[in-house]
């Protein structure tokens, strides 16, 4: 592996000083700065789009991204002797966002709002034309309906069992309240005209990050750096805020004041359009954590009980009252 890495690095205009492994990549220290070397397995078109997103951010005065570095042949991907493809990206030293630190959360939220104001494909006819991308709509209406069917399937399976363990009894006890929430989320999304909202976002060429989490947010002194645009696509940007917000709320026991602060911080920079606000509430209302845990149970080995998953279910149950309180306040603010 060491020889393979050196073989790849030689194809770049960098003078290597040292290297070490980090999560999902090789960190390279060179005279020209810090870089990460990633084994790239996705398609060329996807990579081209990600790099266009980053280059557009740089063009608008936001340079703090992990842009791809062309090799000596001015290509983004470099092959080793075995035919594996590698991507070299600029990297930064700093610390990850701490989801239990209020100041970090506020800064990262404001940063996301700023990114969303910048992350749009250039208009057609501009000097820097973007090729049309094949954007696949992630139909949230269909997705929520499917998740509800999956929840019901697990419920019916457990009800049909003659002997049930503690986890299965817990799922049965919690099922109705969370299934009802899923039903209300499904009802609200049908009132939003989701497909029209999605079409508007495509017309406006809005881009979302797709993986805006604490791993991909680096604090370096007073600067915030955004990395790993692997899932970036054109579509509804508010899914970034939902993903980021849900993780924070789960980590911090669904603290209502913290949730309200996140919403206020984001909207001071990028006010939500009415349908976006309702969609954000729908996503928060749907019991994603409960659905995930019972899905893990159903698709895994049922001959033994996972203590880890059972503990997660108990935590979901213990947080539910505070989650409901937050959802009531969020509905008041967003509707």
């Amino acid at each position: 592996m060491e020889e393979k890495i050196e073989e790849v690095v030689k194809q770049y205009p960098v003078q290597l000083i040292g290297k070490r492994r980090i999560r999902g990549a090789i960190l390279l220290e060179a005279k020209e700065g810090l870089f990460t070397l990633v084994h790239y397995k996705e398609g060329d078109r996807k990579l081209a789009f990600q790099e266009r997103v980053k280059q557009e951010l740089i063009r608008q005065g936001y340079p703090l991204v992990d842009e791809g570095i062309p090799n000596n042949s001015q290509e983004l991907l470099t092959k080793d002797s075995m035919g594996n493809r590698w991507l070299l990206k600029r990297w930064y030293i700093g610390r990850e966002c701490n989801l239990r630190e209020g100041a970090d959360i506020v800064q990262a939220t404001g940063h996301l709002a700023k990114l969303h104001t910048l992350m749009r494909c250039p208009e057609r006819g501009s000097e820097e034309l973007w090729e049309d991308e094949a954007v696949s709509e992630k139909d949230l209406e269909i997705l929520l309906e499917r998740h509800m069917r999956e929840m019901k399937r697990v419920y019916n399976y457990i009800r049909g069992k003659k002997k049930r363990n503690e986890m299965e009894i817990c799922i049965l006890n919690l099922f109705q309240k969370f299934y009802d929430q899923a039903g209300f989320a499904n009802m609200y999304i049908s009132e939003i005209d989701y497909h029209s909202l999605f079409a508007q976002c495509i017309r406006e060429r809005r881009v979302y990050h797709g993986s805006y989490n604490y791993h991909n947010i680096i604090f370096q002194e007073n600067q915030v750096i955004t990395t790993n645009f692997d899932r970036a696509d054109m579509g509804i940007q508010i899914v970034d805020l939902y993903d980021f917000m849900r993780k924070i709320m789960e980590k911090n026991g669904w603290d209502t004041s913290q949730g309200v602060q996140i919403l206020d911080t984001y909207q001071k920079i990028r006010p939500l359009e009415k349908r976006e606000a309702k969609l954000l509430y729908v996503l928060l209302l749907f019991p994603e954590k409960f659905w995930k845990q019972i899905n893990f149970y159903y698709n895994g080995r049922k001959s033994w009980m996972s203590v880890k998953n059972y503990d997660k279910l108990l935590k979901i149950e213990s947080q539910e009252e505070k989650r409901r309180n937050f959802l009531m306040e969020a509905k008041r603010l967003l509707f």
Side-chain angles (χ1 to χ4, degrees):
M1 177 61 77
E2 297 296 321
E3 292 179 359
K4 189 182 295 183
I5 292 170
E6 290 183 9
E7 172 194 351
V8 172
V9 173
K10 285 179 181 178
Q11 300 180 59
Y12 287 92
V14 298
Q15 298 182 58
L16 187 63
I17 297 174
K19 59 183 182 296
R20 64 182 174 89
R21 293 186 179 275
I22 58 173
R23 180 172 49 87
I26 309 295
L27 179 65
L28 305 178
E29 182 184 0
K31 289 185 178 180
E32 294 78 9
L34 289 176
F35 304 91
T36 52
L37 187 64
V38 181
H39 185 195
Y40 194 79
K41 300 178 182 179
E42 302 291 341
D44 293 353
R45 188 170 183 175
K46 187 172 183 180
L47 175 60
F49 180 78
Q50 295 163 15
E51 290 305 316
R52 288 189 185 106
V53 169
K54 288 182 270 189
Q55 290 304 317
E56 177 61 13
L57 285 171
I58 293 169
R59 188 187 70 81
Q60 294 187 74
Y62 181 82
L64 303 175
V65 293
D66 56 340
E67 62 177 315
I69 306 299
N71 60 24
N72 294 329
S73 300
Q74 294 303 301
E75 296 173 340
L76 282 172
L77 292 175
T78 301
K79 290 184 179 181
D80 60 27
S81 56
M82 301 296 293
N84 298 308
R85 302 191 307 167
W86 297 84
L87 173 66
L88 187 71
K89 299 193 292 184
R90 192 172 306 284
W91 201 247
Y92 306 85
I93 288 295
R95 61 179 181 84
E96 290 184 348
C97 175
N98 184 348
L99 296 189
R100 297 189 186 279
E101 179 59 50
D104 278 14
I105 292 168
V106 169
Q107 193 172 0
T109 302
H111 180 69
L112 177 61
K114 178 185 175 183
L115 275 180
H116 281 168
T117 64
L118 299 176
M119 287 173 67
R120 297 198 185 195
C121 301
E123 295 291 338
R124 287 183 174 88
S126 66
E127 293 181 2
E128 297 180 48
L129 288 174
W130 290 54
E131 295 178 8
D132 288 338
E133 299 294 332
V135 181
S136 57
E137 179 177 357
K138 297 173 182 176
D139 195 322
L140 291 176
E141 286 187 270
I142 293 175
L143 191 64
L144 294 188
E145 288 176 1
R146 189 174 80 223
H147 288 348
M148 287 189 70
R149 289 196 300 271
E150 291 165 348
M151 291 169 70
K152 193 70 172 180
R153 181 178 62 198
V154 176
Y155 175 74
N156 289 335
Y157 169 78
I158 296 175
R159 282 198 66 191
K161 294 187 67 174
K162 292 182 180 179
K163 292 184 178 180
R164 302 165 190 149
N165 58 37
E166 291 95 329
M167 181 173 179
E168 291 165 338
I169 293 170
C170 182
I171 290 172
L172 291 182
N173 290 337
L174 296 176
F175 176 80
Q176 194 59 53
K177 71 170 72 173
F178 288 120
Y179 190 74
D180 288 345
Q181 288 178 11
F184 279 116
N186 206 19
M187 179 187 73
Y188 284 131
I189 200 170
S190 66
E191 300 172 354
I192 292 173
D193 194 3
Y194 166 79
H195 298 284
S196 174
L197 174 60
F198 181 86
Q200 177 186 329
C201 292
I202 298 304
R203 284 196 306 273
E204 296 175 355
R205 304 179 72 74
R206 297 188 188 184
V207 177
Y208 63 91
H209 183 278
S211 189
Y212 192 81
N213 58 53
Y214 65 97
H215 291 306
N216 299 329
I217 306 165
I218 299 175
F219 289 104
Q220 188 183 76
E221 297 180 353
N222 296 323
Q223 297 179 316
V224 183
I225 299 144
T226 313
T227 64
N228 295 324
F229 286 73
D230 304 28
R231 297 181 183 176
D233 203 350
M234 285 197 289
I236 300 174
Q237 293 176 324
I238 205 64
V239 296
D240 281 339
L241 179 57
Y242 162 68
D243 288 336
F244 180 62
M245 189 172 189
R246 181 179 65 83
K247 278 291 184 184
I248 292 169
M249 299 303 287
E250 288 173 356
K251 289 282 187 184
N252 294 285
W254 292 91
D255 185 301
T256 295
S257 61
Q258 189 165 69
V260 170
Q261 186 179 41
I262 292 170
L263 293 174
D264 287 345
T265 300
Y266 185 91
Q267 294 204 81
K268 282 178 182 176
I269 298 170
R270 181 184 175 270
L272 295 176
E273 189 258 333
K274 189 174 182 180
R275 287 178 300 176
E276 284 184 308
K278 287 188 175 181
L279 179 59
L280 177 59
Y281 176 75
V282 165
L283 294 172
L284 290 166
L285 176 61
F286 185 86
E288 183 171 344
K289 191 74 170 181
F290 178 74
W291 163 76
K292 280 185 176 179
Q293 291 309 311
I294 66 173
N295 222 32
F296 289 151
Y297 155 80
Y298 188 78
N299 293 315
R301 288 175 56 192
K302 304 181 189 67
S303 57
W304 64 283
M305 184 183 77
S306 167
V307 176
K308 183 179 180 180
N309 285 354
Y310 179 49
D311 288 343
K312 287 182 178 180
L313 273 175
L314 293 177
K315 185 176 181 180
I316 290 169
E317 182 179 25
S318 69
Q319 290 185 343
E320 182 54 19
E321 183 178 354
K322 288 187 176 181
R323 178 173 172 268
R324 281 177 174 268
N325 291 338
F326 165 71
L327 287 170
M328 289 174 60
E329 183 64 13
K331 185 176 182 181
R332 185 185 70 80
L333 293 171
L334 294 171
F335 269 54

